[in-house]
Amino acid sequence: MIVLRYPATILCGPLLLIGIIWVLQGLNILPGSFMTGQIIWAVYGAPMALSGAALLWWVNRRRG
């Protein structure tokens, strides 16, 4: 199923990236948005980033 690995990686990457951005904006580290300083965005972003990272790892792991 190596054919599905590439589209899945492309879909997991933005999930991870958006989650990290939401966490940084929610923690007031990344300014410039209405989300800056709103802790709820860090709460939403943390599971999003973790699920993106877990899916990215799962899709790209070596199967023996």
Side-chain angles (χ1 to χ4, degrees):
M1 286 311 215
I2 196 164
V3 176
L4 296 177
R5 183 180 298 173
Y6 297 114
T9 299
I10 291 170
L11 292 174
C12 293
L15 186 67
L16 175 62
L17 185 64
I18 291 169
I20 290 171
I21 290 172
W22 284 7
V23 168
L24 293 176
Q25 285 181 334
L27 296 176
N28 205 16
I29 296 171
L30 186 65
S33 173
F34 68 93
M35 297 187 291
T36 302
Q38 303 292 321
I39 196 69
I40 193 69
W41 291 105
V43 172
Y44 292 156
M48 187 178 200
L50 289 175
S51 63
L55 285 171
L56 196 60
W57 172 81
W58 185 69
V59 166
N60 291 303
R61 66 188 161 96
R62 301 247 180 208
R63 290 169 182 88

